[in-house]
Amino acid sequence: MSQPEIMQTISTFTSIEEALDYFEISYTQKFINEHRLALTKRFNGYLILEKPEDWFAARRALKNAYCKIQRSQLSKGTRQACRGCTTCQRR
């Protein structure tokens, strides 16, 4: 899939759940309900910064956005590991 095709596909999504399902990323509905706006903004920001060349680059942008939001919820005062993150590659 080329860059124009992937961008056109992304523009047809009406919810972040559709994007997560399309890119085969597992998620918890509770987390999505709580952080829908932040996740959507971060994903769109990553797409603006670097236009995805293919399906894998777009998937990586969404995974990075999802993981960044989850890691931002961890306590800053402790060395807490990223747990329960369905997309984190740091395990």
Side-chain angles (χ1 to χ4, degrees):
M1 196 175 263
S2 66
Q3 183 178 5
E5 291 172 353
I6 194 68
M7 292 304 288
Q8 183 178 2
T9 302
I10 291 171
S11 68
T12 63
F13 297 145
T14 58
S15 69
I16 196 67
E17 288 91 347
E18 287 181 22
L20 290 163
D21 290 337
Y22 178 76
F23 291 115
E24 301 171 359
I25 298 173
S26 59
Y27 60 93
T28 59
Q29 191 62 45
K30 180 182 175 193
F31 179 82
I32 298 299
N33 291 340
E34 291 174 7
H35 304 287
R36 180 182 309 277
L37 184 59
L39 180 58
T40 304
K41 283 183 177 182
R42 184 157 305 269
F43 177 51
N44 288 332
Y46 285 158
L47 294 177
I48 290 170
L49 288 174
E50 186 177 334
K51 300 289 186 207
E53 294 293 324
D54 57 5
W55 184 88
F56 295 102
R59 182 177 192 266
R60 188 171 33 258
L62 182 55
K63 283 180 71 172
N64 288 341
Y66 192 87
C67 189
K68 177 77 172 179
I69 299 297
Q70 279 196 332
R71 283 185 283 134
S72 71
Q73 302 303 308
L74 298 176
S75 172
K76 306 289 188 243
T78 63
R79 294 187 57 176
Q80 188 175 6
C82 186
R83 290 187 220 150
C85 183
T86 57
T87 62
C88 190
Q89 301 297 316
R90 297 172 185 237
R91 294 181 214 207

